[in-house]
Amino acid sequence: MKIRFSTAPTSTKAIIASAVFTIVYLASASSLPPCTDTVAVLNSGACVVRQSFLHTASGWLALICLVVAVLLLALKHKDSISGRPAPAPVPDRASNFCATCGTRIITGDRFCQGCGAHMESQ
């Protein structure tokens, strides 16, 4: 079984990326209080001066990927969201060729559009 990945952006890829960044965000959180909370610092004896870049960046990337996923999903289904019906697919019509000029003839046509030959005589 071959698994092929497309390079096109999809909402599924954006949701997966958002989930990965959310896990990193939650895993990189510190249990220490911020240094601005004096009572907590005095009770614990340690504090966090500022959050790590990994924690901050992964949080923002998780939010951005989630917004992109919603936008891609909305663009994919924009016709149903706006209330417009989706265009109906064109059915495949059987066709044959003109014996005189070789032009493709749609079944039901009485004359060739290329040379004008009558189709019932062929």
Side-chain angles (χ1 to χ4, degrees):
M1 171 193 293
K2 283 187 174 180
I3 297 175
R4 295 175 45 190
F5 295 101
S6 69
T7 57
T10 62
S11 58
T12 305
K13 290 177 189 173
I15 290 171
I16 291 170
S18 179
V20 168
F21 287 127
T22 301
I23 291 169
V24 171
Y25 174 78
L26 293 173
S28 65
S30 175
S31 62
L32 294 174
C35 291
T36 56
D37 187 4
T38 310
V39 175
V41 171
L42 292 175
N43 289 336
S44 67
C47 66
V48 174
V49 176
R50 57 186 184 146
Q51 292 178 338
S52 70
F53 179 73
L54 175 66
H55 183 75
T56 305
S58 60
W60 281 108
L61 287 172
L63 288 174
I64 290 168
C65 288
L66 188 62
V67 168
V68 168
V70 169
L71 289 175
L72 287 172
L73 199 61
L75 285 174
K76 182 178 180 182
H77 298 290
K78 66 181 173 190
D79 290 335
S80 62
I81 291 171
S82 65
R84 288 184 279 161
V90 178
D92 292 329
R93 295 185 265 177
S95 62
N96 49 11
F97 297 93
C98 175
T100 308
C101 68
T103 303
R104 178 175 264 174
I105 305 298
I106 297 174
T107 303
D109 283 353
R110 297 170 68 190
F111 297 96
C112 173
Q113 295 178 356
C115 67
H118 192 64
M119 288 294 104
E120 293 179 358
S121 64
Q122 295 182 4

